[in-house]
Amino acid sequence: MEKRNERIEVMNHLAVNMDDIVNKYLIPIDTNWQPSDFLPDASKETFFDEVKELQQAARELPYDYWAVLIGDMITEEALPTYESSIMVVEGVDMINEPQGWARWTRAWTAEENRHGDLLNKYVYLSGRVNMKAVEISTQYLIADGFDIKTDDDPYKTFVYTSFQELATNISHRRTASLAKKHGNNSLSKMCAMIAADEMRHHKAYKSFITSIFEIDPSEMMIAFADMMKQKIVMPAHFLREMNGEKSGVYGHFSDAAQRLGVYTGKDYIEITDLLLKDWNISTMTGLSGPAAKAQDYLMRLPERLTRLTDRIKVPELEYKFSWIH
């Protein structure tokens, strides 16, 4: 109970600056991009010609690319799971403090919502995708939820989001580069715009952790180590297809991402190393005994992960997803 009260006190202290946080890391709705900015306009006579052009460009994208793009889209569409998980975190009170962390969560969700909308419309118009199979996987992922081991702890939750937002940025940034490589400039721009959002969100969550370290360094260090000990799982780790088992298709999606170089084990290590440096983990002093042990664990982690990752071999065989025609 004492730890819980301390965390709520820290969260309430940070929430005093919510206006500044929102203004710094989120874009006003009226000036933000929307999915319709990048898609054929059905009200125009040129709509069908533009769709044909979109479909022609889509034919140039390889199979693994479609697997990754669709998997990314389904992950984005499972946004209700992510919002609801943050809304129950200690210090997030949507009833009594709707303008505090609940305000951030709603506004962050509103920006993220555009990502799934845009990619969903694109893959539908592409003509390359079995939309019913995709929709079934999406509904399953939302219904299954996820298990990211953060409980209702804001420190652990913000470690997770700091890490995951950067991982998502990397994935979308590389799908943008690959789309451009295959001559699909419109899709490249869509993915790049999503990636830019994810980077802003990463910087926001990373700054929250920076502030917590200034106030409660020992407990924050322990929470960071706890999250890394159990590994940062991807939000789509329960991904499945129709009549499939929970998590049944996630491994194949991850393999495709590794083959393409969209998101790899090396990226996991580099994100870990980046967070260690950005949060000044190696130079932090004045820690409690358990926190000092957590600090030592964290500083040894990249080398340990590198040894493990070097042993992993990515399967070369392409899995046949029900999503792709």
Side-chain angles (χ1 to χ4, degrees), residues 241-277:
E241 293 175 305
M242 183 170 58
N243 298 320
E245 296 294 324
K246 184 188 290 188
S247 300
V249 79
Y250 175 74
H252 300 299
F253 163 59
S254 178
D255 288 344
Q258 292 246 29
R259 281 193 295 269
L260 280 179
V262 166
Y263 185 75
T264 68
K266 183 180 178 182
D267 293 315
Y268 187 98
I269 298 168
E270 289 180 351
I271 293 172
T272 301
D273 198 44
L274 178 71
L275 293 177
L276 291 172
K277 291 175 181 175

Side-chain angles (χ1 to χ4, degrees), residues 274-313:
L274 178 71
L275 293 177
L276 291 172
K277 291 175 181 175
D278 286 351
W279 290 331
N280 300 312
I281 299 302
S282 66
T283 59
M284 206 165 290
T285 58
L287 299 170
S288 67
K293 290 181 180 179
Q295 180 186 39
D296 183 63
Y297 167 81
L298 288 166
M299 293 311 302
R300 295 173 184 270
L301 186 58
E303 183 180 350
R304 176 174 172 270
L305 290 174
T306 298
R307 291 197 303 269
L308 293 172
T309 302
D310 287 344
R311 302 173 193 165
I312 298 173
K313 292 185 178 180

Side-chain angles (χ1 to χ4, degrees), residues 176-194:
S177 296
L178 287 169
K180 188 172 184 179
K181 179 180 177 181
H182 288 282
N184 196 325
N185 292 329
S186 61
L187 178 58
S188 177
K189 188 172 183 180
M190 294 178 207
C191 295
M193 295 300 289
I194 294 172

Side-chain angles (χ1 to χ4, degrees), residues 7 11 81-92 101 104-105 108 146 148-165 201 205-206 208-209 212 220 223-224 226-227 230 232 275 279:
R7 277 161 162 65
M11 290 289 281
T81 298
Y82 319 142
E83 180 185 27
S84 61
S85 71
I86 296 177
M87 280 296 191
V88 298
V89 164
E90 293 170 350
V92 180
W101 285 107
W104 162 265
T105 305
W108 166 78
F146 64 0
I148 56 175
K149 310 298 184 185
T150 56
D151 303 318
D152 59 355
D153 186 333
Y155 295 10
K156 292 181 180 180
T157 297
F158 289 164
V159 168
Y160 181 84
T161 49
S162 297
F163 193 106
Q164 183 53 41
E165 290 283 17
H201 299 164
Y205 285 110
K206 187 172 65 173
F208 303 160
I209 295 291
I212 295 172
M220 186 63 251
F224 184 17
D226 285 348
M227 284 303 297
Q230 57 199 3
I232 304 292
L275 293 177
W279 290 331

Side-chain angles (χ1 to χ4, degrees), residues 211-228:
S211 297
I212 295 172
F213 265 123
E214 293 171 358
I215 301 168
D216 194 9
S218 290
E219 286 299 316
M220 186 63 251
M221 188 71 74
I222 292 169
F224 184 17
D226 285 348
M227 284 303 297
M228 299 312 296

